[in-house]
Amino acid sequence: MSEIVVSHGLGASDDSVWFPYLAERLEAAGHRVTVPRLPEAAAPQREAWRAVYGEAVRAAGPAGSTVLVGHSIGAVNVLRFLEGHDPEADGVFAGVVLVAASAHEVGYELLAGFFEGGFDWERIRRTARGFRVLQAMDDPVNQPDPAEHVGLFVRGLGATAVVTATGGHFGAALDDHVEVPEAVRLVTELLDA
C-alpha cells in the first residue's frame, strides 16, 4: 500500500474540490489518501501550514512509498515542506504532484509570505524521484501566463508537465466537487515508476 498526502489550498479542507474524487479512485486501487486540515485555512501562515503538513507526511509512512500532492497554495506548501526535508536521513519520496501551482507570487497579499525568498529548486529536486505539474491555461489565478509557472517548475525541478486548455483552477469554488482524472493518473504514474 502506498500513501498519498494532499495539501489543500486557501479556505479548503479534506472534502473540497477534487480531493474526494482522488481519494475514492486511489483508495479503490489499494492506496491510502490523507488530506490533513491545515490551520486557519482562510488566513494561512507559511510555518504553521508547513509544520502540520509535515506531521501528516511523517505519520504516513516511508518516503519511498509516499506521493505528496498539493493544490494551489497547498502546492507551494508542499515545496516549502520539501525545502526542509533531509532525503539522506529521511528518504526520497516516490513523487510530487503540483496542481494549479504558482511558481511565484501572483498578487494575493494574504499569501505573499509563502513566496518570500524564492525556492531552493536544487534542494527540492533531491527530495523526490519525480515531479509532475498539472496546469490549465485558463487558470484565473496564475495569470497572465500560466505557462510561465509551468516552465519554472519544469526547469527548476525537472518536472513533467501536463497542460490542459481548460480546467480553470481545478475547482472554481471550494464546494465544487470536480473530477480530475489527470491528477489520479499522475499520482499513479509516480507510484508505478
Side-chain angles (χ1 to χ4, degrees):
M1 176 176 74
S2 296
E3 305 282 343
I4 296 87
V5 185
V6 180
S7 183
H8 64 68
L10 177 66
S13 69
D14 58 328
D15 60 354
S16 297
V17 293
W18 44 273
F19 309 143
Y21 173 80
L22 182 82
E24 175 188 316
R25 296 301 169 132
L26 292 173
E27 288 169 356
H31 307 295
R32 188 171 75 150
V33 178
T34 304
V35 186
R37 287 188 179 223
L38 302 173
E40 303 296 326
Q45 298 298 311
R46 176 173 158 173
E47 290 310 310
W49 270 35
R50 187 179 62 81
V52 171
Y53 183 71
E55 289 171 15
V57 171
R58 286 185 285 281
S65 61
T66 300
V67 172
L68 308 181
V69 177
H71 177 233
S72 189
I73 198 65
V76 177
N77 189 44
V78 170
L79 296 174
R80 291 303 183 196
F81 165 74
L82 291 172
E83 281 181 325
H85 179 74
D86 182 349
E88 285 78 32
D90 300 319
V92 173
F93 290 101
V96 175
V97 177
L98 307 173
V99 179
S102 303
H104 56 73
E105 209 277 319
V106 291
Y108 288 77
E109 187 176 326
L110 178 66
L111 306 176
F114 280 83
F115 298 96
E116 287 177 0
F119 295 104
D120 186 341
W121 298 118
E122 184 178 331
R123 182 173 178 82
I124 296 168
R125 192 171 44 247
R126 291 193 307 261
T127 63
R129 291 194 304 261
F131 291 85
R132 302 292 186 271
V133 174
L134 175 59
Q135 176 68 57
M137 290 306 292
D138 66 346
D139 186 330
V141 174
N142 291 319
Q143 293 298 327
D145 186 8
E148 176 201 5
H149 295 273
V150 172
L152 290 168
F153 290 126
V154 168
R155 288 187 300 277
L157 300 173
T160 299
V162 173
V163 178
T164 62
T166 61
H169 205 56
F170 295 103
L174 302 176
D175 59 356
D176 274 354
H177 287 108
V178 296
E179 296 181 0
V180 183
E182 296 91 347
V184 175
R185 183 177 60 78
L186 292 174
V187 171
T188 303
E189 199 175 272
L190 289 166
L191 290 171
D192 292 344

